[in-house]
């Protein structure tokens, strides 16, 4: 997982390949295609895909007067270090 996270940070995307024990093979089947025959094999396994995404949010509360809006901006600027 650490390697995958490093790849996501470097490339923006990564896939974690399943372990052999997680791969489930179905019984092979003989299939006919015209006059020829073949074998169909099915398997399933979990796949973890990680992507890096930048999430941007806008909050625009209406507070009343211009003075109240200025007070709110001042309050946010004084306390935004709490979220960083």
């Amino acid at each position: 997982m650490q390697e995958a996270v490093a790849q996501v940070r470097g490339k923006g995307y990564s896939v974690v390949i399943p372990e052999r024990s997680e791969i489930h093979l179905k019984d092979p089947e003989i299939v006919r295609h015209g006059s020829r025959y073949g074998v169909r094999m099915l398997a399933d396994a979990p796949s973890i895909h990680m992507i890096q995404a930048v999430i941007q949010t806008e909050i625009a509360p209406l507070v009343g007067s211009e003075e109240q809006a200025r007070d709110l901006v001042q309050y946010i600027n004084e306390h935004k270090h709490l979220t960083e």
Side-chain angles (χ1 to χ4, degrees):
M1 280 296 210
Q2 290 175 346
E3 183 181 332
V5 171
Q7 286 180 2
V8 169
R9 290 202 169 120
K11 299 178 191 176
Y13 183 80
S14 183
V15 176
V16 178
I17 297 172
E19 296 179 9
R20 184 175 286 274
S21 63
E22 296 176 302
I23 300 171
H24 302 280
L25 297 173
K26 307 253 189 317
D27 292 334
E29 297 178 26
I30 296 174
V31 293
R32 182 177 176 184
H33 188 70
S35 63
R36 301 175 72 179
Y37 288 86
V39 177
R40 181 172 80 168
M41 298 178 288
L42 298 173
D44 61 58
S47 178
I48 300 171
H49 295 253
M50 292 192 271
I51 61 169
Q52 183 175 358
V54 176
I55 308 301
Q56 185 177 36
T57 302
E58 178 179 318
I59 301 170
L62 298 176
V63 294
S65 70
E66 184 177 355
E67 182 181 347
Q68 289 172 319
R70 288 183 195 279
D71 289 344
L72 180 57
V73 168
Q74 181 181 352
Y75 177 83
I76 291 169
N77 285 332
E78 289 173 359
H79 294 88
K80 70 179 175 183
H81 69 278
L82 298 174
T83 62
E84 296 174 349

